Amino acid sequence: MKFFIDSVDIDAIKEFNKSGMVDGVTTNPSIIAKSGRDFKEVIEEICSIVSGPVSAEVTATESSGMIEEGLFLNRIARNVAIKVPLTWEGLEACKNLSDQDIMVNVTLCFSAQQALLAGKAGATFISPFIGRLDDIGEEGMDLIRDIKTIYNNYPEIKTEILAASIRNIEHVKKAAIFGADIATLPPQVVRDLALHPLTDKGLEAFLNDWKSSGQKII
Ligand code: G3P
């Protein structure tokens, strides 16, 4: 499973890169606004660190504007994937940009039917939002399972399932079990993935026993 970092936190991206955890990065207008960083500058900086896909989202609402913004963003670096919303305008922009060999991430997907449309429009990635479905009392992870089943039924669909709106490590485990190709993770969720109280307890006991042996490796 590939991990994308759902953040523009440069220190976190560099930190996770050292252990091979960064296969790409995703952003959205809210993440950019919260960071206070200049959109184009931060995307350029991330692309200088990460060679995998870096998603940058358009904000136009009509397909012509989305295509124009997408082409502009893609000129920042070849690995910029253009994020478009799952609307008919977005699907039209998706088809146009995909036909120009530009990676497209279709975002704000909340149903398997929507994911089917994105696949037909040639999306490189489909982003089902798990946490936001959980927020309204649905089982977000069912959507990953359904999209996986549908895409497996139609091998001509090459779209990768990018589990988004991931809030905790349980989401990561289930997305992996259900076969999501990618999970995009906030930095804290990446950190939490390695943690287990029994690991800490076990390590403490090993180190104490080692100390009492009086030995040194080097
Ligand atoms: O990048 C889109 C997605 O991951 C947003 O997550 O937590 O705002 O629903 P969230």
Side-chain angles (χ1 to χ4, degrees):
M1 181 188 229
K2 286 178 268 187
F3 283 175
F4 288 0
I5 307 301
D6 200 19
S7 171
V8 293
D9 180 340
I10 302 293
D11 290 341
I13 291 167
K14 285 183 177 163
E15 174 195 337
F16 301 136
N17 219 4
K18 286 184 200 158
S19 46
M21 297 300 153
V22 187
D23 299 300
V25 169
T26 51
T27 67
N28 62 37
S30 307
I31 289 173
I32 299 292
K34 251 181 245 158
S35 75
R37 295 274 323 258
D38 177 82
F39 184 28
K40 287 154 276 176
E41 254 177 46
V42 79
I43 294 294
E44 197 171 0
E45 187 174 358
I46 294 169
C47 288
S48 72
I49 303 165
V50 175
S51 57
V54 175
S55 287
E57 189 159 340
V58 299
T59 50
T61 51
E62 287 176 8
S63 60
S64 57
M66 291 181 194
I67 294 164
E68 199 187 348
E69 289 181 357
L71 292 172
F72 177 85
L73 291 169
N74 185 253
R75 278 197 289 275
I76 295 175
R78 277 301 297 165
N79 57 325
V80 172
I82 308 305
K83 225 170 163 186
V84 300
L86 211 153
T87 59
W88 281 112
E89 297 290 331
L91 291 167
E92 204 177 303
C94 172
K95 166 90 175 107
N96 183 295
L97 294 167
S98 298
D99 284 350
Q100 299 187 57
D101 280 332
I102 292 174
M103 289 185 287
V104 181
N105 176 356
V106 179
T107 189
L108 290 167
C109 171
F110 293 95
S111 79
Q113 295 90 325
Q114 290 181 316
L116 183 57
L117 297 182
K120 287 183 70 64
T124 318
F125 309 108
I126 181 68
S127 291
F129 276 34
I130 305 313
R132 292 192 195 185
L133 282 170
D134 288 355
D135 289 345
I136 59 160
E138 291 189 24
E139 189 54 60
M141 215 38 81
D142 287 351
L143 181 54
I144 301 289
R145 188 202 52 207
D146 290 347
I147 298 173
K148 187 74 184 176
T149 304
I150 290 171
Y151 282 7
N152 280 346
N153 286 345
Y154 301 101
E156 67 273 19
I157 296 178
K158 304 292 178 216
T159 307
E160 290 191 271
I161 303 171
L162 198 178
S165 187
I166 294 266
R167 307 272 175 76
N168 53 56
I169 63 169
E170 196 61 20
H171 278 157
V172 181
K173 181 178 84 178
K174 286 193 178 145
I177 289 171
F178 288 138
D181 301 286
I182 309 151
T184 189
L185 311 174
Q188 193 52 51
V189 173
V190 182
R191 290 191 187 98
D192 290 349
L193 282 170
L195 306 180
H196 197 288
L198 289 180
T199 303
D200 294 341
K201 200 175 161 199
L203 182 60
E204 196 185 350
F206 284 156
L207 293 178
N208 283 338
D209 290 345
W210 185 246
K211 210 172 174 187
S212 67
S213 80
Q215 299 188 56
K216 279 196 163 118
I217 295 176
I218 297 173

